[in-house]
Amino acid sequence: MHPSLRPPPQHSLHTCCYQHLRFRAVVDWIAIRISSQRSSNFDTVRSRTGASHVTAVDEGPGRAATSFIVKFQDPTSWADVDQRLAKFTHDHPLSDPPVVHAIEIALDAYSRSGDRNELVEMTARFYKFATCLVSRNCRVFRWTGEVQEIASYPWLTRRLIEDFNVGVGHRDRDDLYQHMYVKDTDTRNGERLQLPVDQRRARTELRIQGQEARPLSEWKARPLTRLAKFFRFRTLKSKLPPYVRAGAEHVDQIGERRERPRAGRGKRLYSKATCADVILNALAYDALRELDHRMRSLVIRR
């Protein structure tokens, strides 16, 4: 069997130290809606701002428009976003403040040894132990169009090995959408390329759009650590009866915060087989805090 297709090692699913992984949070991309007092066109907006994608919202005769959605990939800071917008708005004053149409925030885990099995295991863990799932619509998919329901945790790890992705919610229609996958390729100039081993990572990302979108000024003013609830996780308790552990390790998702029946009176919010993953939650929060620091810096793209 090819090494990349080996099943990941069956490590214990209770809290581990994660020393074999390095964590980093990024703004994967941001799409901003701008409305100009003067009409312009797609080519002018894209060439000025260097946006990876531009959509004219109110395109009219001659492809002229006053409202555009511009998408920036991997912004280095809010100052970077401002500078790129200013290359268009300095002679096209805006009629309304810029609004974040959509934004994608990602938490990445890199294997220090470049082991893809570790990335598969971490991606499965991102889903299994997530405390906040934004939808009941959970499935795996491949870009070839295949979609399958998630059957179990071992089943999920096998699908991740085969380049399936986890989707939670509807990517285009829902205000919030989550996506977990092993990122070992990237698309550049329309071509999908393999990433160098040291750049491959397990990723869980949150897309915010629609009614959840806010003016750019609000995003710049509020810390990104406010999104930490979407990057919190549980883990299995270290001491469980064997039959409880076997069932908990098999199930595909056990971390979600939701009401569960409790023997006697009342309800519990978490599976009694789990506890907070204090170490992973701290790593995720620190990554978001460091991202917030980078976004508030004066670093701009050159």
Side-chain angles (χ1 to χ4, degrees):
M1 180 180 291
H2 190 279
S4 65
L5 297 180
R6 292 197 316 268
Q10 295 301 305
H11 297 315
S12 173
L13 289 174
H14 64 74
T15 301
C16 58
C17 61
Y18 302 105
Q19 290 181 346
H20 59 298
L21 298 166
R22 175 176 63 86
F23 291 84
R24 178 179 170 86
V26 297
V27 177
D28 191 31
W29 53 262
I30 184 170
I32 299 174
R33 179 166 177 160
I34 55 175
S35 298
S36 173
Q37 296 176 17
R38 296 172 46 198
S39 62
S40 187
N41 58 61
F42 164 90
D43 291 330
T44 299
V45 175
R46 188 164 74 167
S47 63
R48 292 257 193 114
T49 64
S52 59
H53 187 78
V54 175
T55 302
V57 177
D58 59 347
E59 188 172 274
R63 301 192 69 185
T66 58
S67 184
F68 300 88
I69 296 172
V70 294
K71 184 176 181 180
F72 299 137
Q73 206 77 32
D74 303 316
T76 57
S77 64
W78 297 122
D80 176 24
V81 173
D82 287 342
Q83 184 196 50
R84 296 171 75 174
L85 290 177
K87 291 179 179 178
F88 173 74
T89 61
H90 79 278
D91 60 357
H92 287 74
L94 299 183
S95 57
D96 296 296
V99 173
V100 174
H101 177 76
I103 187 170
E104 202 158 81
I105 311 291
L107 174 65
D108 291 325
Y110 295 80
S111 168
R112 297 187 187 278
S113 63
D115 187 341
R116 190 175 191 272
N117 287 329
E118 291 180 351
L119 302 182
V120 167
E121 185 180 15
M122 192 65 231
T123 304
R125 192 179 189 99
F126 277 150
Y127 174 71
K128 181 182 181 78
F129 292 111
T131 65
C132 180
L133 295 180
V134 300
S135 172
R136 304 309 305 160
N137 177 17
C138 305
R139 73 280 178 206
V140 298
F141 65 91
R142 280 198 288 208
W143 300 115
T144 53
E146 299 169 79
V147 179
Q148 299 178 17
E149 293 185 4
I150 303 174
S152 68
Y153 182 78
W155 182 95
L156 174 61
T157 59
R158 290 194 295 271
R159 292 300 176 271
L160 291 171
I161 290 170
E162 297 166 357
D163 296 323
F164 277 84
N165 295 220
V166 178
V168 181
H170 192 285
R171 184 178 59 185
D172 300 316
R173 292 198 299 263
D174 290 347
D175 293 342
L176 297 173
Y177 171 73
Q178 289 166 306
H179 184 197
M180 297 94 162
Y181 61 107
V182 177
K183 184 174 177 62
D184 46 19
T185 65
D186 201 7
T187 302
R188 299 172 188 170
N189 300 319
E191 183 179 1
R192 188 172 290 274
L193 302 173
Q194 287 288 324
L195 289 171
V197 172
D198 63 348
Q199 294 181 25
R200 299 174 189 178
R201 59 264 202 195
R203 167 168 285 193
T204 177
E205 58 192 21
L206 172 71
R207 180 178 300 186
I208 302 172
Q209 57 195 3
Q211 295 300 314
E212 292 293 326
R214 296 288 185 273
L216 178 60
S217 59
E218 286 192 26
W219 278 94
K220 292 160 66 175
R222 298 173 64 192
L224 293 175
T225 49
R226 75 184 188 277
L227 301 175
K229 71 176 184 178
F230 297 104
F231 301 96
R232 287 199 187 112
F233 307 92
R234 305 285 287 179
T235 189
L236 295 186
K237 293 177 178 176
S238 58
K239 294 181 180 180
L240 289 173
Y243 70 93
V244 174
R245 175 168 295 282
E249 290 186 345
H250 182 78
V251 71
D252 63 291
Q253 217 291 332
I254 199 172
E256 185 181 11
R257 185 183 190 275
R258 58 181 174 82
E259 289 190 351
R260 293 170 164 85
R262 183 198 296 251
R265 293 189 300 175
K267 295 181 179 179
R268 65 171 66 248
L269 295 178
Y270 297 106
S271 165
K272 62 182 181 180
T274 70
C275 58
D277 192 333
V278 177
I279 297 175
L280 181 55
N281 291 342
L283 289 166
Y285 188 88
D286 287 348
L288 286 172
R289 183 169 54 190
E290 199 270 334
L291 170 62
D292 189 65
H293 177 75
R294 295 199 311 271
M295 292 300 291
R296 292 174 185 276
S297 72
L298 297 179
V299 176
I300 57 178
R301 190 180 304 269
R302 297 189 180 278

